[in-house]
Amino acid sequence: MTGQILEISDLSTGYDENDILHEISLLVREKSFIGIIGPNGSGKSTFMQVLARSLPVREGDIMLLGDSLQSYSFRDFGMKVGYVPQESEIKFKYPVYDVVMMGRNPHIERFRSPSEEDHEAVRRALTQTGTLELADRPITALSGGERQRVMIARVLAQDPVLLLLDEPFAHIDIHHQYELIRIIRETSKDKRAVIGVFHDINLAAAYCDDLVLMHDGRIRACGKPEEVLTTELIHEVFRIRPVININPITGTPFVYVEEEWKEPDVHKPSIHLISGGGTGSYLISLLSRSGYSLSCGVLAENDSDCLMARKNKVPTLAEPPFSRLSLEMEEKLSEQVQKADVVIVTSMPVGWGNYPNIRVLEQIDPKKIICILPSSEPFLPDFTSGVATETIKRLLSAGAHKISNPAELLEMMQSKIFSKDTMQ
Amino acid sequence: MNTIRNSLILIGLFCAVIIAILLSVITGPVEISLIEILTGIMQDTTHSQILFEIRLPRAIAASLVGAGLACAGAAMQTLFRNDLADPYTLGTSAGGAVGVSLAIITGAVLLAPIAAFCGAIGSAFLVYLLAAQKRRLSTGNLLLTGIAVSMFFSSVVSVCLVFSGKNMHQIMFWLMGGLWNASWADIPLLLITLIPAGILALFSRDLNIMSCGEAETRTLGIDPEKTKLLLLAVSAGITGLVVSVSGSIGFIGLVSPHIMRIITGPDHRVLIPASLGCGALLLVCADTISRTWLGDLPVGIVTAFFGAPFFLMLIRRRSDL
């Protein structure tokens, strides 16, 4: 089979009696860049150690270029596979140049000195990783990020067919991170393959061809980033409530993490949010995360607030874009605002199309309305020749609350005025 | 540039060893002046005998013993990834001494070097197996095991020698080390230790990579288990041969690589020969001091006097002990 670099079938192994990895099967073709993601303790690093032969295979097979991993002499193995460990343990003052030259070791005969070709490979790797000016410095004097770049230079100088990287970008600053990952990605295009463990899911999603999601020592999912990074899988494996969006630059999935998620709490007042044009996105995320039972609308179907509400599974009234609110929808809205304990209005753009959203507020008790508006006029981008602004002013003078910062909202919600007991 | 600097250091060390041997030859309880040597020592038979039959072989033996212990120490520190490892702290020397004592009490004195060789290798692997737990060698474990094995073997040596009717002074010789028995007959055996020392030097690149961490050795083309066992056997072998001549002398193997690492850096291509020179220099000096001013005290006492504070300093510098 051409183009196949690594074939792992039914691999199980561990450090002591208990297996840490269970029945792992994976096919790695040339020119592929595979990212391994998964929570701590899912077996990512152990997996890398087996591939680097630091840990023996207990069950199953690992075939490297058609031959069993065990059948390789270490010298031949070193010519085919390079490994960058999570943290380099070097505590002696080797000059950077010598450390990178160690990568050439499999290519140098025991009784020979490094050839001109070896020196050339080292210089090229130093240049690629931007560490050429560090060549004479002792490795112990470098920062964590510089050290990591040197370790990547070493693996590039080694020139292997399969590169194993165990969280290689952990300490590297963002500028070098992208530069190095691009170099490694280019390297993988040249009849090679790269397998990297990534802590940063989004970095992995942006640059890897395929992702392997590990969980409890097993491969939970494997495939293109958009196939692996689904809300269900991420929630199951990482125990977080993710919001998955599209990275606007790379077009790949982008995972946002909700730090704390509370299920809707019946003891908290229910809220209806009237917003639009992105003015409510943050509130939707904040309020649903904080355990308020929330509803939204009426929103245009393609409005970013609407997309955010859908992502957070918030019940939302929506109409096709740029259309007037139908009477039917207006009735639903009216019902909704009557029912809600609190109605929040943001500083959204108002035109004749969505003006009914504001007009409907005159039907309810103004005391349960909170307007999040700029501290002075204009309160909102008004495309109704001032009609909407007039309505807002009437509401405020009738006793609607006004705050100018969303941060004050939670405070206000927790205050006496809106606690559920006093309202009933 | 570094290559030139390192070559100069090595040449300098070699010259220093030669000078130390010469100085050692002309110092001692019996005054033999430099002029006397230059104007023809051959006329005075007692003085020429002291010089050529006692002092010169002893100084050369001291240099070779020191050299052997130091390069074995340098290799062991890397193999165990431990600053405090050396033939003495790990009980390898004591193992060699047990081999010699067994050869003496069974009357097979001619086999003493071979017995020492086997004893040292056996002891090194015993410590290695006892201290290794779940593939990890902790510093504390390794040293405590080394000390325990060393104490046990030392007691075996004492028992053997006491029951074979040796006096305290001879027992001290094997336990603390000394060179007062050294003669020209020992020199060929000691020269043999240069062969395994050469093997260690040939594995410099492997040692360099192993000193940089366990994880990547395999992907850099080295079989760490095999290399470790081979080089441990080589280092222990050197120790055994050396011990059969000098008894177990401490701290030379510990101190020399540390001093040279500061001067030449950690690269074993330089570190091994440099430690060899440093060990030779230190032991020639220590032996001369002991012989001239301390009434031929076992040289191990002199090396311990200077080496033990150094050892303490290394322990204090470590955080994981």
Side-chain angles (χ1 to χ4, degrees), chain B residues 262-316:
Chain B
I262 293 166
I263 297 173
T264 66
D267 188 341
H268 290 78
R269 284 172 298 182
V270 188
L271 184 64
I272 298 267
S275 303
L276 200 126
C278 182
L281 189 62
L282 288 180
L283 196 58
V284 170
C285 295
D287 187 49
T288 309
I289 291 170
S290 132
R291 180 167 64 77
T292 311
W293 293 291
L294 301 173
D296 222 348
L297 211 63
V299 71
I301 295 175
V302 179
T303 57
F305 187 80
F306 293 106
F310 188 84
F311 186 74
L312 273 177
M313 196 187 79
L314 286 175
I315 289 179
R316 286 184 68 93

Side-chain angles (χ1 to χ4, degrees), chain A residues 35-138:
Chain A
I36 300 182
I37 54 173
N40 292 338
S42 58
K44 295 172 294 185
S45 287
T46 310
F47 184 42
M48 294 306 261
Q49 285 182 17
V50 184
L51 297 182
R53 288 177 81 175
S54 290
L55 195 65
V57 175
R58 208 173 278 164
E59 271 169 68
D61 284 310
I62 303 179
M63 306 291 275
L64 174 65
L65 299 167
D67 293 307
S68 153
L69 204 63
Q70 269 62 42
S71 72
Y72 279 84
S73 77
F74 281 101
R75 173 173 293 273
D76 290 340
F77 179 65
M79 288 203 243
K80 301 279 186 267
V81 180
Y83 173 48
V84 178
Q86 214 167 66
E87 207 130 345
S88 81
E89 301 172 32
I90 304 177
K91 56 170 189 170
F92 295 113
K93 293 180 186 165
Y94 287 103
V96 166
Y97 191 90
D98 290 9
V99 172
V100 177
M101 184 56 91
M102 287 178 191
R104 296 300 296 172
N105 190 58
H107 301 269
I108 307 171
E109 301 280 327
R110 174 163 308 289
F111 303 112
R112 294 271 175 79
S113 305
S115 66
E116 193 40 52
E117 191 194 330
D118 296 317
H119 286 290
E120 188 47 50
V122 170
R123 277 194 293 270
R124 200 169 45 234
L126 287 170
T127 315
Q128 273 183 313
T129 52
T131 48
L132 192 60
E133 66 271 27
L134 304 175
D136 294 325
R137 297 260 302 276

Side-chain angles (χ1 to χ4, degrees), chain A residues 151-206:
Chain A
M151 300 322 277
I152 289 170
R154 185 170 81 177
V155 85
L156 292 176
Q158 191 180 346
D159 197 21
V161 179
L162 175 65
L163 278 79
L164 306 172
L165 313 171
D166 194 351
E167 285 189 30
F169 307 110
H171 302 290
I172 298 180
D173 58 54
I174 198 153
H175 152 68
H176 286 109
Q177 197 173 56
Y178 284 90
E179 204 169 282
L180 284 173
I181 206 165
R182 220 169 290 135
I183 292 166
I184 286 168
R185 200 176 147 76
E186 273 164 36
T187 313
S188 75
K189 293 302 157 218
D190 184 26
K191 293 206 168 194
R192 290 165 219 273
V194 180
I195 305 180
V197 169
F198 285 85
H199 203 65
D200 183 339
I201 301 175
N202 295 320
L203 194 68

